[in-house]
Amino acid sequence: MAINTDGSTRFMNKTMLKAVGYHREEVLNKDYLKHFVPLRQRNMVQNIFSRLQKNNSPTQNENIVLTKEGKELLVRWYGKQIYNESGDFHYLIGVGIDVTEQKAKEKKIEMFHIKEREWNNLISMEQEMVLSLISEKDFTSKLRRVLEFISKIIPHDGSDISLLENNQLRVIAIHGYKEPS
């Protein structure tokens, strides 16, 4: 991919053309920002272009590239300035790698690790609860302990365990608010 100093598309290789769904004649001399960068990222990409025009250092960045159908591809760019014979900035050249699927997989892996940590915490809490219940002597204390652990797993203001005996509802364990008098 090559972009002129005015931001127009100078060149796009076959691989990029296929990825974005255009023919070469549809992209040549078109404003790259307006045709291929979503509005929400145009300032960022314009700032990258401006910085590259001012200094002679390569760049690596990621931004969204829009296809002809409006699909968004996340592309990692490696870019460099090209100068003419008199040493003036001539155009930018970049090699882009579509990292859309890679980033989606990384996000899934990250979510898996988050869920794994949640499950490990839950298992640890369960083990702690079992050991704690063994140490409690009476049934009501065991139930209060269960309510404490439930509040760690599912945060809430208060809870109770009630027992129905002889058509009478009796609260036997409370956590998070005062016991009735």
Side-chain angles (χ1 to χ4, degrees), residues 122 125 147-159 175:
L122 194 57
M125 289 170 77
L147 288 175
E148 287 174 24
F149 281 102
I150 289 172
S151 71
K152 289 180 183 177
I153 296 168
I154 306 168
H156 58 283
D157 293 333
S159 57
H175 178 75

Side-chain angles (χ1 to χ4, degrees), residues 132-133 135-148 172-173:
S132 172
L133 290 176
S135 69
E136 293 293 342
K137 303 296 181 219
D138 65 280
F139 185 66
T140 302
S141 296
K142 290 180 189 293
L143 292 176
R144 283 192 181 110
R145 190 63 83 166
V146 167
L147 288 175
E148 287 174 24
I172 55 174

Side-chain angles (χ1 to χ4, degrees), residues 15-130:
T15 303
M16 175 103 179
L17 288 166
K18 183 178 178 184
V20 295
Y22 284 97
H23 297 285
R24 183 167 279 124
E25 59 276 0
E26 293 177 286
V27 301
L28 290 181
N29 300 313
K30 298 291 183 188
D31 185 312
Y32 178 78
L33 289 173
K34 288 182 182 173
H35 284 83
F36 298 103
V37 179
L39 188 58
R40 70 182 186 274
Q41 287 196 341
R42 285 186 191 156
N43 284 339
M44 176 194 71
V45 175
Q46 179 60 56
N47 289 338
I48 293 168
F49 287 170
S50 296
R51 181 176 43 83
L52 287 170
Q53 290 180 12
K54 292 175 185 169
N55 62 44
N56 186 17
S57 60
T59 186
Q60 177 185 337
N61 63 286
E62 290 181 2
N63 67 276
I64 301 294
V65 172
L66 295 172
T67 67
K68 191 174 187 176
E69 293 79 33
K71 181 181 172 189
E72 294 188 352
L73 304 175
L74 181 59
V75 177
R76 180 174 298 137
W77 291 104
Y78 300 89
K80 178 82 175 112
Q81 307 84 339
I82 303 297
Y83 296 89
N84 61 21
E85 299 81 28
S86 56
D88 297 323
F89 175 73
H90 198 48
Y91 60 91
L92 299 172
I93 189 164
V95 175
I97 300 170
D98 182 352
V99 294
T100 309
E101 288 183 27
Q102 175 188 343
K103 290 292 183 172
K105 287 176 186 176
E106 287 172 3
K107 189 170 186 169
K108 283 182 183 179
I109 290 169
E110 181 183 334
M111 291 305 296
F112 171 78
H113 288 301
I114 289 169
K115 291 294 180 190
E116 182 182 40
R117 282 191 300 275
E118 288 173 356
W119 275 107
N120 287 338
N121 288 341
L122 194 57
I123 289 168
S124 175
M125 289 170 77
E126 179 185 34
Q127 292 169 342
E128 184 183 336
M129 183 177 76
V130 168

